[in-house]
Amino acid sequence: MQRSFLSSVLAAFALCATVAAPRAGAADAFPTRPVRIVVGFSPGGSNDIVARVIAPRLSEALGQSVIIENRPGAGGNIAASAVLAAPADGHTLLMCTTGTLSIQPHLMASMPFDSEKDLVPVTQIANAPYLLLVNPQLPAKNVRELIDYAKARPGELNFASSGNGTGGHLAGEMFKSRAGVDMVHIAYKGTGTAMADVLSGQISVMFDQPVSSMPNVRAGKLRALAVASLRRLPGLPDVPTVAESGLPGFDPVTWTGLCAAKGTPQAAIDRVQREVAKVIALPEVSQRLVQDGLEPVGSTPQQFRGFLVADKRKWGAVIEQGRIKLE
């Protein structure tokens, strides 16, 4: 009788092991098809550039194609909604940003999703300060001259951003508040289209990440008046910070990372994080990011989650203190 019972228990364990084995193997096999990274802004913008820098090496590491899909509009909310509508299996990822996850929840009366409940942090790719840029036709050669020029012409200067509620928009609003100037915000559906109008002279001022603007600065097509951080950029050592230029504490640093939909298997999240960390640690990739004014990170999902909580709180305080609202 005891032998019969023992035999039955062993047989049950064997059956469980047999059933569980394929599931574990399936998780380890991720990805089983091409991986899609959805970017919430138009091609040519900073987030798009970072995604395309890491995509080829990430594809090699994962053994599957990594496809970049641009879904611009609503400050990244259209892209986030597209990711949330896809199967939560790790094959569709969001290029998440400061504006979409840390800023807009404080500015919009109703968000199409809950950034803390509906999205899962995968990894923070990089930090980046903004550059305060002007078209060279503008006579201002430094921050003080820009402030004086704007104060003498209230409401005449326009500043561009990649969309309402994005980091570039908020940086511009912060500058207006701290400097006491009146500039008109012009929102675009991405950095590329905004940059085109700044380059043409239709727009005078823009806060943009270095990765998408430094080539134009080096070519003399844009004038960088200052770096919106507390430290100068190694790639632009002669450009002072906004804090040095008379607005102490001005530090609207932004970031970019990868997020997935809630319910994505932890094995897929961990695999993507490990491979992205390896990719951005490669000398040719890390040097490219640093050259473009970025600070490579590659944090774990847990570290990224903690960062997101603190970052959202920081921007909420800035928005409340500045009484900033979307029009």
Side-chain angles (χ1 to χ4, degrees), residues 263-281:
T264 299
Q266 191 62 44
I269 292 172
D270 292 340
R271 175 79 192 281
V272 172
Q273 186 277 325
R274 288 195 304 269
E275 301 303 346
V276 169
K278 292 176 185 176
V279 167
I280 64 177

Side-chain angles (χ1 to χ4, degrees), residues 71-135:
R71 298 288 295 270
N77 285 345
I78 291 176
S81 297
V83 171
L84 293 174
D89 56 11
H91 291 88
T92 304
L93 302 169
L94 174 67
M95 200 73 174
C96 47
T97 66
T98 312
T100 309
L101 268 62
S102 297
I103 295 175
Q104 288 197 94
H106 299 290
L107 293 175
M108 297 185 67
S110 177
M111 287 282 288
F113 60 93
D114 189 317
S115 62
E116 295 183 29
K117 295 180 179 179
D118 298 331
L119 290 171
V120 179
V122 177
T123 185
Q124 183 184 359
I125 297 174
N127 282 319
Y130 284 103
L131 290 178
L132 172 52
L133 306 161
V134 298
N135 183 283

Side-chain angles (χ1 to χ4, degrees), residues 52-65:
R52 295 180 190 279
V53 167
I54 69 170
R57 289 306 189 98
L58 184 58
S59 175
E60 294 175 6
L62 293 175
Q64 291 283 351
S65 298

